[in-house]
Amino acid sequence: ALFMITLGIIISTLTVTSANHWLTAWLGLELNMISILPVITKQKHPRSTEAATKYFLTQAMASALMLFSSTLNAWQTGSWDITQLNNKLSCILMISALTMKMGAAPAHFWLPEVLQGSTLTTTLLITTWQKIAPITLLYMISNHIQSNILLPIGLLSILVGGWGGINQTQLRKMMAYSSIAHLGWTMAVISIAPNIALTNIIIYMTVSTPFFLLLTSSSSKTLQTMTTTWAHAPTATIIMMLLLLSMAGLPPLTGFTPKLLILDKLVMHKLIPAATTMAILSLLSLTFYLRTTYLLASTTSPTTTQSTTLWRLKPNYYQITTILTPIALFNITILPALLT
């Protein structure tokens, strides 16, 4: 069963990414949704059932909107081609549908709730792999999108992602808001420089994957339980601190690269007010990243923590973490730009 579900998730995403016809893309997204529902409901708990229901309803609404948008476009222009979304109304409806699919603001409400009801591994899947299909479709229609539609969505996502995450003590909800903020950066620039937007989302996935895997291996679900990580795995604690700072976009780390490139592009296109607003709003996200980093750092030896140490599981994720961590921390991606 697990093999079939995994195969369904992979094939459905690949179907969407390789599609030329709107109906093929829609079919891929539907298959993707059906495949992930059993993964969310794996835990026999009302919380996970609720999460799966919320996920299903939101995705079904987005799929219906997407189908309506593509049908309207085909009716007006006679083309089902994904790259030929020429009808203006269809374009706006499609952006709304894809925004809902990804969980960007203002259609973000389902994401923190769904992630809170899932396991850490499922959370990783939803915040990384599940974003590939809608981002690809957005990338394919980016030549028809006006920046004055996507820029406000991006700014709102960064604001919501920063503001929502500040008050969280649950790590899964905090990471959900972090995901919304990163999507905001992607959405803001995708109509101006789609390649940079794609770079941003790839780097976000590269940084968040080892972070989630380390959380899973240390069984940390709240900020309080994170304070006991040092006694269990000092190396993992240091890596987690650096990954959080990389997500925040601090200069020597990889997370800084896409933010710099995005701001550079916006300034080049005379969108200086938007670039300034994005830079200021990202300080909201920086607040909770730094708070979590401080929590991890302030409980390091010889300081003692008041929390009880957890019984820790040790899933064997170290190979993936070892491969992704250097990429997520060291600014390999900026080297070609520096060399030329």
Side-chain angles (χ1 to χ4, degrees):
L2 182 67
F3 173 73
M4 289 304 291
I5 289 166
T6 312
L7 198 67
I9 291 169
I10 294 167
I11 288 173
S12 59
T13 305
L14 293 178
T15 306
V16 179
T17 51
S18 58
N20 282 321
H21 197 286
W22 275 117
L23 284 182
T24 319
W26 175 79
L27 198 69
L29 285 166
E30 287 296 292
L31 180 62
N32 187 281
M33 179 182 71
I34 293 161
S35 302
I36 201 150
L37 287 174
V39 181
I40 301 171
T41 50
K42 195 180 170 204
Q43 285 178 300
K44 301 291 178 280
H45 194 275
R47 209 71 197 267
S48 56
T49 314
E50 184 192 335
T53 311
K54 283 176 179 172
Y55 186 82
F56 171 74
L57 290 172
T58 318
Q59 298 295 320
M61 274 175 66
S63 290
L65 199 59
M66 185 181 158
L67 198 58
F68 174 62
S69 165
S70 53
T71 311
L72 187 68
N73 185 64
W75 181 42
Q76 292 288 323
T77 63
S79 169
W80 282 99
D81 197 315
I82 292 177
T83 53
Q84 303 299 317
L85 198 70
N86 297 319
N87 188 313
K88 204 168 183 181
L89 179 61
S90 290
C91 202
I92 293 165
L93 288 171
M94 189 58 72
I95 292 165
S96 309
L98 293 174
T99 302
M100 201 184 285
K101 281 251 174 229
M102 283 185 285
H108 65 281
F109 297 101
W110 62 273
L111 190 64
E113 299 298 321
V114 169
L115 296 197
Q116 189 54 36
S118 314
T119 60
L120 281 165
T121 321
T122 314
T123 306
L124 167 65
L125 191 66
I126 295 170
T127 50
T128 54
W129 185 265
Q130 293 300 95
K131 299 271 186 282
I132 296 171
I135 289 274
T136 308
L137 290 175
L138 204 61
Y139 179 81
M140 286 169 86
I141 63 167
S142 60
N143 58 335
H144 292 289
I145 305 170
Q146 292 170 319
S147 59
N148 61 0
I149 299 170
L150 276 185
L151 207 56
I153 293 175
L155 287 168
L156 188 64
S157 294
I158 298 168
L159 174 66
V160 166
W163 216 303
I166 281 179
N167 209 22
Q168 298 301 330
T169 53
Q170 294 285 339
L171 288 172
R172 282 167 294 184
K173 277 196 173 180
M174 192 180 89
M175 291 311 292
Y177 283 109
S178 158
S179 170
I180 294 164
H182 278 91
L183 276 174
W185 283 86
T186 305
M187 298 282 274
V189 82
I190 202 160
S191 59
I192 299 162
N195 291 346
I196 289 174
L198 221 55
T199 308
N200 179 52
I201 207 75
I202 290 165
I203 288 174
Y204 166 68
M205 288 174 187
T206 313
V207 177
S208 63
T209 304
F211 182 72
F212 270 116
L213 293 176
L214 286 169
L215 283 183
T216 312
S217 62
S218 63
S219 310
S220 301
K221 290 186 179 71
T222 62
L223 287 177
Q224 188 186 11
T225 52
M226 264 186 117
T227 59
T228 62
T229 315
W230 179 263
H232 161 67
T235 319
T237 312
I238 293 164
I239 292 170
M240 277 159 84
M241 282 158 53
L242 290 168
L243 288 170
L244 278 164
L245 294 175
S246 184
M247 265 187 239
L250 292 182
L253 305 163
T254 308
F256 173 67
T257 315
K259 285 187 168 60
L260 179 69
L261 292 170
I262 289 168
L263 292 175
D264 179 49
K265 273 285 173 229
L266 289 171
V267 171
M268 276 172 69
H269 282 78
K270 305 282 189 292
L271 293 165
I272 297 167
T276 312
T277 314
M278 284 166 73
I280 292 166
L281 290 178
S282 67
L283 294 175
L284 289 167
S285 299
L286 180 66
T287 310
F288 66 80
Y289 288 127
L290 281 179
R291 184 188 59 188
T292 316
T293 311
Y294 174 73
L295 264 177
L296 278 167
S298 62
T299 55
T300 53
S301 184
T303 318
T304 52
T305 174
Q306 302 303 313
S307 309
T308 51
T309 309
L310 292 169
W311 177 266
R312 309 217 181 246
L313 300 168
K314 286 193 179 178
N316 194 8
Y317 291 132
Y318 295 114
Q319 294 91 333
I320 311 169
T321 315
T322 313
I323 295 162
L324 289 176
T325 304
I327 305 167
L329 294 182
F330 307 118
N331 234 329
I332 298 163
T333 47
I334 206 169
L335 285 178
L338 293 173
L339 292 170
T340 50

